[in-house]
């Protein structure tokens, strides 16, 4: 599976580019409008890649921003949301606006995306409301590891966040023990 590609942009359209690698292979990569605005033809870049392999195609989606890639990957896992709709969301809402729309239940923000109506917006909010929307980079690594461990035990993210906000431990094992006492 392709995870990243480094190369020179040989052709750029608003939501698509051709990236030629040092070995001479040129890849066609779909990108969001936000990503496109940051890139110039002839520029050497490295894009994080989400690869989708279908029976009739091998598609590459490129991202400069890891949080935009996570948002795209979260969306394509939802029933009824394809890669083109997920890329439309990435082109219309930045990751912070998307996260705020989900947390606040703002269907109007999602309806502003071409191809998303009222029902789809409400379904996205319902399915992602308990998803991992907490920004992992903003969380200290020991807390992030504790969250993942507690989620693997079956606890919900919102309850874990509430419990961890009152914990005082500074290492992973003690933090998990303290949170388990509060969750139990």
């Amino acid at each position: 599976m392709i995870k990243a590609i480094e190369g020179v942009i040989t052709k750029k359209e608003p939501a698509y580019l051709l990236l030629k690698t040092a070995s001479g292979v040129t890849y066609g990569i779909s990108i969001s409008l936000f990503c496109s605005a940051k890139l110039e033809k002839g520029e050497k870049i490295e894009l994080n890649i989400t690869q989708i392999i279908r029976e009739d195609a091998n598609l590459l989606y490129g991202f400069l921003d890891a949080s935009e890639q996570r948002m795209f990957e979260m969306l394509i896992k939802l029933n009824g949301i394809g890669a083109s709709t997920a890329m439309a969301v990435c082109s219309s809402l930045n990751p912070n606006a998307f996260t705020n729309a989900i947390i606040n239940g703002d269907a109007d923000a999602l309806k502003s995306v071409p191809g998303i109506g009222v029902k789809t917006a409400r379904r996205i909010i319902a399915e992602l409301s308990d998803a991992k929307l907490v920004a992992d980079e903003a969380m200290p690594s020991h807390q992030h590891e504790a969250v993942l461990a507690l989620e693997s035990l079956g606890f919900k993210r919102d309850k874990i966040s509430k419990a961890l906000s009152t914990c005082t431990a500074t290492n992973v094992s003690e933090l998990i023990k303290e949170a388990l006492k509060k969750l139990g």
Side-chain angles (χ1 to χ4, degrees):
M1 179 171 280
I2 299 171
K3 295 307 250 175
I5 300 175
E6 183 179 319
V8 176
I9 300 171
T10 58
K11 181 180 179 185
K12 180 184 154 207
E13 295 174 6
Y16 186 79
L17 59 80
L18 295 179
L19 193 67
K20 186 171 186 173
T21 64
S23 64
V25 177
T26 300
Y27 292 97
I29 303 169
S30 296
I31 55 174
S32 72
L33 295 177
F34 291 122
C35 183
S36 180
K38 297 175 187 173
L39 302 174
E40 295 295 325
K41 184 178 176 183
E43 182 180 6
K44 183 175 181 178
I45 59 160
E46 180 176 356
L47 289 174
N48 296 322
I49 298 293
T50 296
Q51 182 180 21
I52 298 177
I53 300 173
R54 297 189 324 216
E55 188 175 304
D56 61 340
N58 185 355
L59 305 170
L60 301 176
Y61 296 88
F63 305 92
L64 286 171
D65 184 13
S67 58
E68 186 180 54
Q69 183 178 23
R70 277 194 304 274
M71 179 173 83
F72 176 81
E73 290 175 349
M74 239 192 299
L75 284 164
I76 62 174
K77 289 178 184 173
L78 300 179
N79 190 18
I81 304 292
S84 59
T85 303
M87 193 54 77
V89 173
C90 291
S91 293
S92 301
L93 300 171
N94 66 39
N96 289 335
F98 176 75
T99 301
N100 289 336
I102 299 300
I103 291 171
N104 298 323
D106 185 6
D108 290 334
L110 292 173
K111 285 190 326 189
S112 69
V113 176
I116 294 185
V118 178
K119 288 181 184 177
T120 306
R122 287 184 184 150
R123 190 167 39 81
I124 290 171
I125 290 168
E127 291 185 35
L128 292 180
S129 62
D130 66 341
K132 302 169 186 174
L133 291 173
V134 175
D136 294 336
E137 338 42 81
M139 189 183 296
S141 63
H142 67 282
Q143 278 189 335
H144 179 62
E145 289 179 39
V147 167
L148 294 176
L150 293 166
E151 278 184 328
S152 70
L153 294 173
F155 293 102
K156 297 282 185 200
R157 173 71 70 130
D158 58 337
K159 291 183 180 181
I160 295 170
S161 296
K162 288 176 187 173
L164 288 179
S165 67
T166 61
C167 293
T168 57
T170 57
N171 70 40
V172 179
S173 61
E174 289 178 18
L175 191 57
I176 292 171
K177 288 176 189 175
E178 191 175 343
L180 281 171
K181 289 177 185 174
K182 294 177 185 207
L183 289 166

